[in-house]
Amino acid sequence: MEIRRADQIANTLEQLVFAGEFRDGERLDEVKLAEQFHVSRTPIREALQVLVASGMAEQIPRRGVFIRQPGPVELMEMFEAMAEIEAACGRLAASRMSDQDLDLLAAANEGCQQASQNSDRDLYYSENETFHQLIYRGASNSYLEKQALQLQNRLKAYRKIQLQLRGRLTQSMNEHSEILRFLREGDADNTAKALRDHVAIQGEKFHQLMASFDR
C-alpha cells in the first residue's frame, strides 16, 4: 500500500516540478512534504528515491534531496540521443527478433491499446516501457540495450508527461502499430526511421506541453 502511495506522490511531485512549483536546485523537505500529503515520512522517502532514480532529483550526502532539472538544450540533446539509440535498436531488431519476441511485442502493444481506450496514461506508459524494452532486447546487443535503458529511465518523466496532450495516446498507438508492422516485415530502414520519429515527436510534444504551462 505504501509503495503504491509513494509512486503516486512521486508522480504528483513530477507534475509540480513541471508546473514550476519547485525550482531547479530546490531542496525537497521530507517533513513539509509529509504534512502536505498527509502521510508519514516513509512514503515520502520512497517517493524521493523514485525521483532520484529517474534523475529528476539528486541526493547529496548529509544535505538531502534536491531537484535536478536539465536545461532546455541538455533536454533537447537527450531526446536527440534517445531517438538515435532507439533507431539503432530498431534497425538491429528488425533482423534479429524471433517470432516469439514479436508476439511478446504485439502483446505489449495490445496492453497499450487497452490502456489508451481507457485513457489510463499511467498504465499506458508502463506498457509502453515494456514495448520499447522488448525492442532494445530484440537488438541482441547488450551494450546498446544498457545505454537505451539508462537513457529511457532518465527521460521517463518527460516522455510520460507528454501523454497528457489531447490526442497523444491515439497518435502514439498509431506510431507503435507502424513500428510493429515494419519489425514483422524485417524492414530495418523503416523501423529505424519510425522509432527515430516516434521519440522525436515525444520531445516536441513535451516542449509543447511546457509552453502551455508557461502561459
Side-chain angles (χ1 to χ4, degrees):
M1 186 64 128
E2 281 197 340
I3 293 176
R4 184 167 68 246
R5 181 59 175 147
D7 288 337
Q8 292 172 347
I9 293 170
N11 288 337
T12 300
L13 289 173
E14 288 174 357
Q15 297 280 342
L16 292 173
V17 170
F18 290 133
E21 296 295 324
F22 294 101
R23 300 184 306 277
D24 183 38
E26 183 172 347
R27 181 176 177 274
L28 295 171
D29 189 303
E30 287 184 10
V31 175
K32 290 182 179 178
L33 289 173
E35 292 174 354
Q36 179 180 340
F37 287 98
H38 307 291
V39 295
S40 69
R41 293 173 66 177
T42 297
I44 295 297
R45 291 193 189 101
E46 293 173 351
L48 295 186
Q49 289 309 305
V50 171
L51 296 186
V52 170
S54 72
M56 180 161 279
E58 178 183 13
Q59 186 160 26
I60 301 177
R62 296 184 296 280
R63 292 187 58 195
V65 176
F66 296 79
I67 294 296
R68 164 70 173 93
Q69 278 281 75
V73 173
E74 181 183 358
L75 194 55
M76 180 186 69
E77 290 175 345
M78 288 165 65
F79 269 106
E80 188 176 74
M82 186 82 257
E84 294 303 322
I85 288 174
E86 294 232 6
C89 287
R91 183 181 298 280
L92 294 174
S95 61
R96 297 179 178 179
M97 288 186 83
S98 67
D99 289 339
Q100 184 179 8
D101 291 334
L102 290 168
D103 288 342
L104 290 173
L105 190 65
N109 200 43
E110 179 60 30
C112 289
Q113 180 66 51
Q114 292 176 8
S116 176
Q117 291 172 348
N118 294 327
S119 298
D120 188 334
R121 294 182 179 87
D122 288 338
L123 179 58
Y124 182 92
Y125 189 78
S126 177
E127 296 289 346
N128 175 73
E129 274 192 316
T130 300
F131 180 87
H132 284 270
Q133 288 168 7
L134 285 168
I135 296 174
Y136 306 158
R137 191 175 72 191
S140 297
N141 182 311
S142 59
Y143 181 81
L144 185 60
E145 180 183 5
K146 181 179 178 181
Q147 300 307 307
L149 288 170
Q150 287 178 346
L151 194 49
Q152 183 194 49
N153 187 59
R154 184 66 183 87
L155 282 171
K156 178 176 181 175
Y158 308 98
R159 294 176 76 166
K160 185 176 180 181
I161 196 173
Q162 52 89 32
L163 294 172
Q164 293 185 9
L165 282 169
R166 183 168 54 86
R168 178 56 191 152
L169 286 179
T170 299
Q171 182 184 19
S172 181
M173 273 307 311
N174 291 337
E175 293 161 9
H176 275 202
S177 297
E178 186 176 62
I179 292 164
L180 181 57
R181 176 168 63 86
F182 288 136
L183 282 167
R184 284 199 181 279
E185 293 172 355
D187 189 334
D189 288 342
N190 277 321
T191 299
K193 182 180 185 304
L195 276 162
R196 183 184 294 110
D197 291 346
H198 179 58
V199 178
I201 289 170
Q202 291 174 356
E204 292 170 8
K205 293 296 183 182
F206 171 75
H207 288 297
Q208 182 181 335
L209 186 63
M210 290 304 95
S212 72
F213 282 166
D214 292 338
R215 287 199 288 269

